[in-house]
Amino acid sequence: MKKAVMLLLNGETLPQLFITIVRYVLPSEDHTIQKLLLLYLEIIDKTDSSGRILPEMILICQNLRNNLQHPNEYIRGVTLRFLCRLSEVEIIEPLIPSILSNIEHRHPFIRRNAILAVMSIYKLPQGEQLLADAPEVIERILAGEQDPSARRNAFLMLFNCAQDRAISYLLSHVDQVPDWPEQLQMVVLDLIRKVCRSNRAEKGRYIKIIISLLNAQSIAVIYECAGTLVSLSSAPTAIRAAANTYCQLLSQSDNNVKLIVLERLNELKSSHREIMVEMIMDVLRALSSPNLDIRHKTLDIALELITPRNVDEVVSTLKKEVMKTQSGELEKNGEYRQMLVQAIHTCAMKFPEVASTVVHLLMDFLGDSNVASAVDVVLFVREIIETNPKLRVSIITRLLDTFYQIRAARVCSCALWIIGEYCLSLSEVENGISTIKQCLGELPFYTAVVEGDSADASKRPQQVNSSITVSSRRPAILADGTYATQSAASETALSAPSLATGSLTALGNLRSLILSGDFFLGAVISCTLTKLVLRLEEVQKSKTELNKACTSALLIMVSMLQLGQSSYLPHPIDNDSYERIALCIRLLCNTGDEVRKIWLQSCRQSFAKMLADKQFNETKEIKAKAHISHAQPDDLIDFYHLKSRKGMSQLELEDEVQDDLKRATGEFTMAGDDANKLNRILQLTGFSDPVYAEAYVTVHHYDIVLDVTVINRTKDTLQNLCLELATMGDLKLVERPQNYTLAPESSKEIRANIKVSSTETGVIFGNIVYETSNVLERTVVVLNDIHIDIMDYISPAICADVAFRNMWAEFEWENKVAVNTVLQNEKDFLNHIIKSTNMRCLTAPSALDGECGFLAANLYAKSVFGEDALVNISIEKQVDGKLSGYIRIRSKTQGIALSLGDKITLKQKGGS
């Protein structure tokens, strides 16, 4: 039987098998065999080519009647379930008395399936003739039924087949609805949604039922209630109740539930921000979850709901969360701390007055082992010290005190820049210089020990400064012909001789990083010392002290150059760092007023300008978003004061007023954009084909719905017409295609669902196959291909420069597209690519100003599946005026890189 079912599902007909099964399988009492038999009977063709029932089907009618009267409850139940899927009236009609007798059976399993069978029969085209009094019978059953599933099925039958009876039953039992079983409450919500969409005037009384269901025991019911409230009403009371419900659901243990609820809250935030602002602390409760995705989504929602009234409370919560990351030993603590630092940074930028409460706490994390988190902290400190002049002294003092704890080169570089720019008073400058000298340790960085000089050189492990010489054991020939070993003088204590050179635990942080070959940091140290010495000239009266500081700075720089050119390190100093350090040495030896102005003022002014540009762009974006709203000049007037109350509740009044406003602002009609719908219609066959087909493509996030209209343009009846589709790419057909019979010059709507699992350009192709009574063979009409556009799945997104660079280094798939365009202006080409690819330009507009013949910009977008798409455009204007260069696309998956590359190749010409 299993083999027969599989063969039938694969398209085999097996007509010769039917009589064998009737003779030998039909009489079996085995439950598994009976279940397989019903599956077999469901699949086989029960009609001939003209649509009449096959005569041999009469043989199974008696068997089905016997099953419906079988003493075993399981056999009765599965047979009733099988009848739900039958559409042949000739087979069903003799069985109706047996079906009705099962409605009042003592076992609930049989009753619930009998009710479903009645519903499916009543929904057939001739159903009302077969079961004329079905609604009355089911309503009577519903009144006395105790089994939850049977009650649910009975109410569902009334909902689908006799909606007026379902509504009257619901309204007569309004007080009992909160105590009904969960399954029945879900059907009630479906009924309310359907009734309110068709009859908006009756919405008020049903919303009261939904509000009462918000206190139900079932979480699923509560979630559905909140969703129904939001979809039906815009009244503040209703939205507040829905938001409260969603916030309560955030306490659920299931992470998937939390993510779904946060998505709903995010939607509410965009349409009802003023109500969500009140809920911000409830939303932040989701931070208690250890899942990083939940925490990230929670912070994203909260940051857009911050106002001057609640910012202190939010920042206080974020500070507590930062403190928790110190104590816990969770592996993701570093990443979570980085997210919190970024969130606090955003709060401090929007509301500078809170910066003073958080900056000192965050500075404790400058030495964080998570480098990304430490970088975020130091960038935050850099921005705060510029925007909050009152905090400058305390930040500099704290930075100098904690500088020795910093372990990452990037964090050291930024901290040194802050010290160089913002140490202004005499004490600050002197402390800055001494801090850097302490972290560099004793000079020189390495010593050359002449082996032939004295026999006891090897016997003297300690030197005057109590340091150990760690030798690299590589002899070098000196100018006089003697041999020497190159070694690095380190500050390793005598008690711990086992520590290697460069170990971060014993050495100064700057010294260990330079001994590991980081000469870019050496160049930053030189620049910082140069700035501090130049500033010391302005604040230090004593020439002696000034000369001391200048010579010690020069000695450090020369020592770094000497180390960089020695053979002690595996890699010599790079040319850029060498030139930068040499420039600092020349500058300290001979300083002019113009150069002093550049080093002490211009650098900081550039930083201030960058911050101002950033602030301007953010403000511009906020204003652009604000202009989209549908607010009218008079929307502050409470119109319900002018309405006649007629005993209506506050909620009903608010809802009616909101509906009036929506009607006035055109929100009810905005959904039906007919012109946009016409653009989505694709012609699948030619006008001269016997069958004409066109499809309307609806792209949701995770699935595509094809509504295909098929028109028979011939004078013949088309039999077994089938729309056969296949896909290429990460697309998957959900259902098996069905066969249809199409009358002459008639049409048929066929719906096909396709699941999408990743962002890439997919192709749907196929054909329409049919038979006619005149021709024995099948006719095939090939369809045009449907290309699914990647643009439906990606949207512009924002990403920090550091995160962009990290992803660019990590992602393994790169697609390199050569620029080939008729456009001759670099910015026009950039704007054309941004518009064509639906991406956001991360490069600041100020960086793209001016005309230099070159342009480099980074673009970023995110897909609905959470995939990142990175694009770098590098173009140059040639002598003949044409643009040349490359567009590089990087992503984690191959599909998005290739699809985006194809899209750019297609669009970059400058056409449509």
Side-chain angles (χ1 to χ4, degrees):
M1 283 302 294
K2 283 182 180 175
K3 279 188 178 178
V5 169
M6 289 303 294
L7 286 168
L8 283 163
L9 286 172
N10 289 330
E12 301 288 338
T13 52
L14 306 177
Q16 71 281 2
L17 203 60
F18 181 76
I19 297 300
T20 310
I21 287 174
V22 168
R23 283 181 66 189
Y24 298 108
V25 179
L26 216 60
S28 172
E29 289 290 323
D30 186 279
H31 289 182
T32 309
I33 298 290
Q34 283 294 322
K35 187 74 187 269
L36 288 168
L37 176 65
L38 291 172
L39 282 173
Y40 170 78
L41 294 174
E42 185 185 337
I43 298 164
I44 59 169
D45 289 328
K46 302 172 192 68
T47 56
D48 58 17
S49 57
S50 60
R52 286 193 295 274
I53 196 86
L54 293 169
E56 56 263 35
M57 287 299 129
I58 303 302
L59 295 171
I60 67 165
C61 271
Q62 186 58 43
N63 178 66
L64 292 173
R65 189 187 288 111
N66 292 341
N67 280 358
L68 291 174
Q69 294 163 2
H70 200 282
N72 184 284
E73 287 88 357
Y74 176 76
I75 297 289
R76 284 198 191 199
V78 293
T79 307
L80 287 162
R81 181 62 65 88
F82 163 72
L83 292 174
C84 294
R85 296 188 284 273
L86 270 190
S87 56
E88 287 74 24
V89 175
E90 291 87 345
I91 300 174
I92 291 170
E93 193 170 3
L95 305 175
I96 283 176
S98 303
I99 295 168
L100 291 173
S101 67
N102 280 310
I103 284 179
E104 297 182 6
H105 192 276
R106 60 180 176 76
H107 203 287
F109 176 66
I110 294 172
R111 292 201 302 274
R112 69 179 76 134
N113 282 309
I115 293 167
L116 285 178
V118 168
M119 179 175 76
S120 60
I121 294 167
Y122 193 80
K123 286 165 81 175
L124 291 173
Q126 300 93 343
E128 290 190 32
Q129 285 84 29
L130 294 173
L131 285 167
D133 59 344
E136 292 90 331
V137 172
I138 297 299
E139 191 173 12
R140 192 176 67 249
I141 295 293
L142 180 59
E145 183 58 70
Q146 296 302 314
D147 179 63
S149 294
R151 288 177 71 190
R152 177 252 180 205
N153 290 352
F155 191 77
L156 186 65
M157 189 272 170
L158 292 178
F159 165 35
N160 284 313
C161 305
Q163 193 172 299
D164 293 341
R165 288 178 183 273
I167 291 168
S168 64
Y169 179 81
L170 173 63
L171 295 178
S172 60
H173 296 80
V174 166
D175 298 336
Q176 298 161 25
V177 171
D179 303 322
W180 283 359
E182 175 189 343
Q183 307 99 304
L184 192 51
Q185 289 175 340
M186 295 293 270
V187 182
V188 166
L189 288 171
D190 284 341
L191 174 68
I192 289 172
R193 275 195 290 264
K194 187 175 178 183
V195 172
C196 290
R197 285 197 185 105
S198 59
N199 185 7
R200 289 186 173 275
E202 296 289 312
K203 208 163 51 167
R205 63 163 88 170
Y206 293 111
I207 287 176
K208 286 179 189 172
I209 298 172
I210 299 171
I211 297 282
S212 70
L213 280 174
L214 286 174
N215 300 317
Q217 298 295 316
S218 164
I219 292 161
V221 171
I222 293 171
Y223 174 78
E224 283 296 324
C225 280
T228 307
L229 263 184
V230 173
S231 66
L232 294 181
S233 175
S234 301
T237 309
I239 299 300
R240 200 170 283 112
N244 265 322
T245 304
Y246 284 140
C247 290
Q248 286 166 21
L249 291 173
L250 287 175
S251 59
Q252 294 301 308
S253 57
D254 191 322
N255 286 345
N256 292 320
V257 172
K258 288 181 181 175
L259 284 169
I260 292 166
V261 168
L262 285 169
E263 194 58 50
R264 299 288 85 78
L265 286 169
N266 196 28
E267 289 169 9
L268 274 184
K269 178 202 72 188
S270 54
S271 52
H272 303 280
R273 186 180 182 276
E274 63 288 345
I275 292 170
M276 284 302 298
V277 164
E278 303 166 18
M279 306 285 168
I280 188 167
M281 297 313 294
D282 295 319
V283 173
L284 284 173
R285 286 211 308 260
L287 291 176
S288 59
S289 167
N291 183 283
L292 277 184
D293 291 330
I294 292 170
R295 286 169 162 175
H296 193 277
K297 216 173 186 69
T298 305
L299 289 172
D300 284 349
I301 293 170
L303 288 177
E304 292 190 36
L305 298 174
I306 294 173
T307 62
R309 191 176 294 176
N310 61 26
V311 66
D312 291 329
E313 213 172 349
V314 171
V315 169
S316 171
T317 304
L318 296 178
K319 277 168 66 179
K320 286 175 188 169
E321 290 296 317
V322 171
M323 298 300 287
K324 283 181 195 171
T325 61
Q326 268 183 306
S327 55
E329 294 300 321
L330 295 171
E331 55 180 302
K332 300 281 188 184
N333 263 354
E335 290 177 54
Y336 179 41
R337 183 157 58 243
Q338 185 186 353
M339 281 159 47
L340 290 168
V341 169
Q342 289 170 349
I344 292 172
H345 188 167
T346 306
C347 294
M349 288 301 101
K350 284 184 180 176
F351 304 97
E353 62 274 9
V354 301
S356 58
T357 62
V358 290
V359 69
H360 297 302
L361 169 72
L362 292 185
M363 286 180 78
D364 291 338
F365 297 101
L366 284 171
D368 196 345
S369 55
N370 182 316
V371 177
S373 174
V375 168
D376 281 333
V377 171
V378 79
L379 293 178
F380 170 65
V381 170
R382 186 181 71 176
E383 209 162 320
I384 292 300
I385 201 169
E386 173 61 35
T387 53
N388 288 50
K390 292 178 185 174
L391 299 175
R392 186 191 64 78
V393 175
S394 61
I395 289 175
I396 284 292
T397 308
R398 187 68 179 269
L399 182 60
L400 293 172
D401 289 344
T402 57
F403 186 79
Y404 71 95
Q405 298 173 354
I406 301 173
R407 297 299 174 204
R410 282 171 61 197
V411 183
C412 280
S413 300
C414 193
L416 285 165
W417 185 87
I418 295 169
I419 290 168
E421 289 294 336
Y422 296 97
C423 284
L424 302 179
S425 67
L426 177 61
S427 61
E428 287 169 358
V429 173
E430 287 177 342
N431 283 343
I433 294 171
S434 65
T435 300
I436 293 170
K437 285 168 72 176
Q438 281 171 16
C439 291
L440 286 170
E442 294 288 334
L443 297 177
F445 289 108
Y446 76 99
T447 54
V449 181
V450 181
E451 288 185 346
D453 238 11
S454 65
D456 60 4
S458 58
K459 299 174 188 173
R460 264 185 307 144
Q462 74 255 30
Q463 297 169 1
V464 181
N465 58 3
S466 302
S467 68
I468 288 178
T469 301
V470 183
S471 173
S472 65
R473 303 294 176 207
R474 289 187 298 181
I477 300 173
L478 299 180
D480 60 356
T482 57
Y483 286 92
T485 57
Q486 304 229 7
S487 57
S490 68
E491 290 173 81
T492 310
L494 280 172
S495 57
S498 60
L499 287 169
T501 308
S503 166
L504 293 178
T505 50
L507 300 178
N509 54 351
L510 295 181
R511 187 186 191 90
S512 59
L513 289 166
I514 287 171
L515 289 179
S516 67
D518 191 342
F519 285 104
F520 174 75
L521 179 65
V524 175
I525 293 168
S526 302
C527 292
T528 304
L529 286 171
T530 304
K531 287 178 186 174
L532 290 173
V533 170
L534 290 176
R535 194 158 277 122
L536 195 64
E537 288 179 17
E538 296 176 354
V539 292
Q540 175 61 271
K541 300 285 188 282
S542 167
K543 286 286 180 189
T544 312
E545 292 298 320
L546 180 61
N547 289 338
K548 267 187 191 176
C550 187
T551 44
S552 64
L554 286 168
L555 182 60
I556 290 168
M557 295 177 206
V558 171
S559 298
M560 279 193 280
L561 289 179
Q562 203 174 3
L563 175 67
Q565 292 177 326
S566 73
S567 57
Y568 164 68
L569 293 177
H571 300 290
I573 187 170
D574 58 285
N575 289 337
D576 286 346
S577 300
Y578 181 89
E579 286 177 14
R580 190 77 171 157
I581 296 171
L583 173 68
C584 293
I585 293 171
R586 286 200 300 274
L587 189 63
L588 287 180
C589 295
N590 184 17
T591 312
D593 290 338
E594 194 60 37
V595 175
R596 185 191 303 277
K597 185 180 175 185
I598 291 168
W599 279 71
L600 295 184
Q601 294 175 23
S602 300
C603 194
R604 189 166 161 187
Q605 284 168 1
S606 298
F607 178 58
K609 187 173 183 297
M610 186 192 88
L611 289 183
D613 278 357
K614 184 180 166 189
Q615 189 72 32
F616 175 75
N617 290 332
E618 285 175 2
T619 311
K620 196 173 170 184
E621 276 186 28
I622 292 166
K623 282 182 180 175
K625 282 181 186 174
H627 285 156
I628 298 169
S629 66
H630 304 289
Q632 296 293 307
D634 54 358
D635 67 352
L636 290 176
I637 299 172
D638 288 331
F639 287 110
Y640 66 79
H641 289 309
L642 309 175
K643 282 186 172 288
S644 62
R645 305 253 164 164
K646 293 184 205 165
M648 291 162 70
S649 67
Q650 179 71 13
L651 177 59
E652 288 173 280
L653 277 168
E654 284 180 12
D655 188 62
E656 209 165 298
V657 169
Q658 290 296 324
D659 279 0
D660 287 349
L661 275 175
K662 277 189 175 183
R663 224 169 266 118
T665 54
E667 277 190 54
F668 280 146
T669 56
M670 280 177 65
D673 190 352
D674 296 330
N676 193 32
K677 280 186 179 180
L678 289 171
N679 294 336
R680 292 269 181 183
I681 291 175
L682 302 170
Q683 187 180 335
L684 301 181
T685 62
F687 291 119
S688 59
D689 285 317
V691 173
Y692 175 76
E694 63 183 23
Y696 173 64
V697 184
T698 309
V699 179
H700 299 297
H701 282 178
Y702 297 99
D703 59 344
I704 299 163
V705 180
L706 295 182
D707 288 304
V708 183
T709 304
V710 180
I711 302 171
N712 177 6
R713 305 185 68 199
T714 67
K715 302 291 184 186
D716 301 320
T717 300
L718 305 184
Q719 295 165 1
N720 294 330
L721 182 138
C722 181
L723 174 68
E724 295 178 346
L725 295 174
T727 58
M728 195 169 70
D730 279 344
L731 305 175
K732 185 181 176 186
L733 278 166
V734 177
E735 302 142 341
R736 250 177 90 244
Q738 290 183 340
N739 289 348
Y740 303 95
T741 300
L742 211 55
E745 298 183 350
S746 65
S747 64
K748 180 77 183 172
E749 297 280 341
I750 303 172
R751 174 167 286 198
N753 288 307
I754 293 159
K755 288 287 173 195
V756 186
S757 53
S758 77
T759 311
E760 69 174 271
T761 301
V763 181
I764 303 168
F765 53 94
N767 44 51
I768 291 174
V769 184
Y770 63 88
E771 299 169 354
T772 58
S773 53
N774 309 345
V775 186
L776 293 174
E777 62 209 32
R778 308 188 85 189
T779 309
V780 178
V781 179
V782 179
L783 305 177
N784 283 337
D785 294 349
I786 300 172
H787 292 267
I788 302 304
D789 195 350
I790 188 177
M791 294 302 105
D792 290 320
Y793 297 103
I794 68 170
S795 54
I798 295 175
C799 164
D801 286 343
V802 176
F804 186 93
R805 282 196 292 273
N806 289 342
M807 285 191 285
W808 188 266
E810 283 172 26
F811 290 173
E812 53 202 38
W813 290 103
E814 177 173 297
N815 191 1
K816 189 175 175 182
V817 179
V819 171
N820 179 15
T821 180
V822 294
L823 297 175
Q824 295 197 342
N825 183 285
E826 305 97 309
K827 286 177 195 163
D828 289 348
F829 179 71
L830 174 64
N831 291 332
H832 177 65
I833 294 295
I834 291 169
K835 188 179 175 184
S836 303
T837 56
N838 199 23
M839 300 186 87
R840 179 188 288 272
C841 183
L842 299 182
T843 309
S846 55
L848 300 171
D849 283 348
E851 296 291 335
C852 65
F854 295 92
L855 186 143
N858 292 333
L859 312 183
Y860 179 67
K862 212 171 178 68
S863 79
V864 294
F865 305 100
E867 298 162 316
D868 301 286
L870 314 179
V871 172
N872 172 262
I873 298 178
S874 299
I875 47 178
E876 176 187 2
K877 197 164 190 174
Q878 301 291 341
V879 181
D880 59 359
K882 290 183 179 177
L883 297 180
S884 68
Y886 290 98
I887 301 168
R888 287 181 176 82
I889 304 139
R890 285 200 184 180
S891 68
K892 212 168 202 171
T893 55
Q894 183 184 18
I896 198 166
L898 292 177
S899 302
L900 209 48
D902 293 343
K903 185 77 178 175
I904 289 172
T905 305
L906 190 70
K907 293 280 189 178
Q908 68 166 325
K909 288 280 187 184
S912 58

